[in-house]
């Protein structure tokens, strides 16, 4: 069969072709005059027809219809993405397709489809979305958190995991916790009356992360700490629902004030990290690994000594700075925001706080600071943190994934290159998984003996699969020991007559507590 015969047979089966032919009858003036022009027109119609008939068909998930060019963008004017996806779940089911501008997105809103995607088909969903803004903010995607799944990503993930595991061995974490809490407790005791704990809690977590990366701690008045904190705060406050430049390309020629502001702060942040990197290179010793930065520099030196061009190109200074940035950004924000939400919840629930104090005081006895070995004996403290992370999600949409191949989830086809969002908020608020999900109740994580029960599948603050949070192994024990240490020394309460607003601020990707004040009453 010739191609012409095939094309004519296909044309005969095109829907509405007869209407098109009827329309053209008597309207020869609309057709090209020359034989060549008419041949090109017929060829074009035939080619488009063959494409439409033979292109791959997908059984795509259901979802709301959007507007041309804008997609469903306008529906997020007065609603956060995770809230809107929960609304759509009730209408379309747990797998929902929608568009933000030209970007096709699939939202996963129940634990069954999330586990299918992130665990059963984890290799299919291991990619990251490379938007214009994320490439700018991560030096072309050199970040572990944002970087696409690749040999370079796997190398840096392996190096970072090894370095963090080293920090968790021996007495490193215990020493860091004691050093940090000593500063924190002293600063709190200096304050009189109710105050906003934001800066002190930020310093507490910052010193843990900075100690891991650069082996030193700061005072709240240090310029280095103040500069780093300013960058992190501006990013959280201004990120919101993302950047218009990602969905309206012409704006990239004339960036918005928001993007320019965040890029300015990001450049400052990378500059501070580069300064510490230079200092470490000047003082590093092969026989002593002081911190995470040393570990990365030694790995770089080994690659250069072996003259392996592939590895050398994957572990440049630009890669190292991005990896350090990942540890700071992810570790700092998740932990400090979780602690701020937890302190507010404890101030609101004195009965829960009393139970926590009883446990901490019994386990620590006369000691001022907890250690890693105490963790198994502090289940209620851990349950309080688990409940805080469930009810007050720091990153309710997580970090968007990207499919690396054509795949499936929930019975639907998901084409290669699709952006996929896990709605952690929906998982943590699902009434089918949690009894009275809007109530702060740490007991839901304990068994009948008061020990930590098996982790519920639907509790997923650190995600799952190949892109599980890099810092989970540090964040969980760090938060556990910091909260126990603070509660060993203080009771927290709301000022008389204070009205608490638990409506989170921030956009779709970060949820922070509103500014609040609490009182710290010394116990020790």
């Amino acid at each position: 069969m010739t191609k012409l015969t095939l094309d004519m047979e296909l044309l005969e089966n095109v829907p509405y072709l007869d209407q098109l032919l009827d329309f053209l009858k008597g309207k020869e003036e609309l057709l090209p005059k020359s034989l060549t022009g008419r041949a090109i027109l017929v060829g074009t119609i035939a080619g488009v027809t063959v494409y439409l008939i033979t292109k791959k068909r997908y059984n795509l998930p259901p979802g709301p219809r959007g507007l041309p060019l804008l997609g469903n963008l306008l529906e997020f004017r007065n609603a956060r993405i995770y809230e809107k996806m929960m609304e759509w779940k009730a209408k379309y089911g747990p797998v929902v397709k929608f568009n933000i501008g030209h970007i096709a997105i699939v939202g996963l809103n129940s634990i069954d489809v999330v586990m299918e995607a992130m665990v059963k088909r984890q290799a299919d969903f291991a990619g990251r979305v490379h938007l214009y803004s994320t490439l700018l903010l991560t030096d072309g995607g050199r970040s572990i958190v944002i970087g696409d799944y690749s040999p370079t990503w796997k190398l840096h993930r392996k190096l970072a995991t090894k370095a963090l595991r080293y920090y968790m061995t021996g007495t490193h974490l215990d020493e860091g916790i004691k050093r940090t809490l000593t500063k924190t407790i002293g600063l709190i005791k200096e304050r009189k009356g109710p105050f906003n704990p934001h800066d002190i809690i930020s310093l507490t977590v910052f010193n843990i992360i900075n100690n891991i990366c650069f082996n030193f701690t700061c005072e709240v008045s240090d310029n280095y700490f103040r500069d780093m904190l300013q960058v992190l705060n501006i990013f959280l406050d201004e990120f919101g629902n993302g950047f218009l430049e990602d969905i309206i390309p012409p704006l990239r020629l004339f960036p918005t004030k928001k993007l320019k502001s965040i890029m300015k702060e990001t450049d400052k942040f990378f500059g501070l990290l580069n300064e510490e990197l230079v200092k470490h290179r000047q003082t590093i010793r092969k026989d002593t690994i002081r911190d995470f930065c040393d570990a990365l520099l030694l790995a770089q030196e080994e690659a250069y000594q072996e003259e392996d061009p592939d590895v050398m190109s994957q572990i440049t200074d630009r890669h190292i700075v991005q990896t350090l940035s990942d540890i700071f950004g992810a570790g700092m924000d998740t932990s400090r925001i979780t602690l701020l939400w937890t302190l507010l919840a404890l101030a609101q629930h004195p009965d829960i706080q009393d139970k926590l104090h009883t446990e901490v005081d019994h386990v620590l006895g006369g000691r001022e600071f907890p250690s890693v070995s105490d963790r198994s004996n502090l289940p209620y403290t851990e349950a309080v943190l688990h409940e805080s992370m469930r009810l007050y999600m720091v990153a309710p949409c997580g970090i968007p994934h990207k499919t690396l191949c054509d795949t499936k989830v929930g019975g639907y086809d998901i084409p290669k290159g699709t952006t996929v969002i896990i709605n952690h908020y929906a998982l943590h608020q699902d009434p089918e998984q949690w009894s009275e999900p809007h109530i702060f109740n740490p007991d839901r994580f304990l068994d009948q003996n008061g020990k930590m029960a098996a982790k519920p599948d639907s509790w997923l603050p650190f995600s799952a699969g190949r892109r599980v949070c890099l810092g989970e192994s540090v964040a969980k024990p760090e938060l556990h020991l910091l909260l126990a240490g603070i509660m060993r020394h203080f009771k927290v309460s709301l000022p008389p007559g204070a009205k608490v607003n638990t409506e989170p601020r921030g956009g779709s990707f970060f949820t922070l507590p509103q500014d609040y004040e609490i009182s710290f009453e010394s116990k020790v």
Side-chain angles (χ1 to χ4, degrees), residues 3 8 30 41 58 67 134 143 160 207 214 216 251 329 349 409 435 441 450 458 465-466 512:
K3 181 179 183 303
M8 292 307 296
L30 297 177
L41 176 63
Y58 291 102
L67 297 172
T134 59
S143 155
N207 274 334
F214 299 130
F216 71 91
L251 285 178
H349 299 88
V409 67
S435 173
N441 177 21
S458 204
R466 296 195 180 181
L512 296 77

Side-chain angles (χ1 to χ4, degrees), residues 368-423:
E368 289 191 61
F369 304 104
S371 66
V372 173
S373 61
D374 294 318
R375 289 194 65 211
S376 61
N377 297 318
L378 295 168
Y380 193 75
T381 307
E382 187 170 11
V384 166
L385 284 165
H386 275 54
E387 180 68 344
S388 180
M389 286 186 272
R390 182 196 69 82
L391 190 57
Y392 306 115
M393 277 296 304
V394 174
C397 290
I399 299 173
H401 295 248
K402 180 183 71 178
T403 51
L404 298 177
C405 60
D406 285 358
T407 186
K408 289 180 174 290
V409 67
Y412 298 106
D413 296 330
I414 312 296
K416 178 181 179 181
T418 299
T419 298
V420 178
I421 292 179
I422 302 175
N423 192 350

Side-chain angles (χ1 to χ4, degrees), residues 454-514:
K455 181 185 78 67
D457 285 342
S458 204
W459 185 79
L460 214 65
F462 297 100
S463 195
R466 296 195 180 181
R467 302 309 294 243
V468 67
C469 177
L470 173 65
E472 179 180 4
S473 62
V474 173
K476 289 168 73 174
E478 168 200 21
L479 284 168
H480 198 179
L481 298 179
L482 287 177
L483 181 61
I486 293 171
M487 290 295 102
R488 177 73 180 92
H489 289 80
F490 301 103
K491 292 181 180 180
V492 294
S493 60
L494 295 170
K499 295 182 179 180
V500 177
N501 180 5
T502 57
E503 178 67 20
R505 63 186 175 93
S508 295
F509 294 99
F510 300 105
T511 57
L512 296 77
Q514 302 286 343

Side-chain angles (χ1 to χ4, degrees), residues 91-198:
K91 183 175 182 179
Y92 300 107
V95 185
V96 180
K97 180 183 178 297
F98 58 99
N99 285 71
I100 297 181
H102 66 282
I103 304 171
I105 299 174
V106 169
L108 306 182
N109 295 284
S110 75
I111 190 58
D112 292 340
V113 294
V114 168
M115 296 304 284
E116 179 186 351
M118 298 301 129
V119 178
K120 182 180 178 181
R121 304 179 188 274
Q122 58 181 279
D124 298 355
F125 291 83
R128 285 290 193 223
V129 183
H130 280 176
L131 301 175
Y132 176 74
S133 63
T134 59
L135 291 175
L136 285 178
L137 296 170
T138 61
D139 194 10
R142 289 177 171 82
S143 155
I144 297 176
V145 174
I146 299 297
D148 215 346
Y149 192 73
S150 65
T152 301
W153 179 87
K154 288 190 282 188
L155 171 64
H156 281 268
R157 175 90 183 197
K158 181 179 178 180
L159 290 173
T161 302
K162 182 180 178 181
L164 292 176
R165 190 180 297 122
Y166 171 78
Y167 181 75
M168 297 301 296
T169 60
T171 61
H172 295 96
L173 183 56
D174 283 347
E175 292 170 356
I177 292 289
K178 182 177 180 179
R179 190 188 314 176
T180 297
L181 281 175
T182 299
K183 291 181 184 291
T184 299
I185 291 162
L187 287 170
I188 293 175
K189 287 184 175 181
E190 290 175 4
R191 302 293 184 98
K192 305 299 180 184
F195 67 93
N196 185 338
H198 179 277

Side-chain angles (χ1 to χ4, degrees), residues 285-296:
R285 292 172 53 187
K286 291 184 179 180
D287 57 343
T288 304
I289 299 179
R290 297 166 294 183
D291 46 45
F292 189 48
C293 187
D294 274 359
L296 294 174

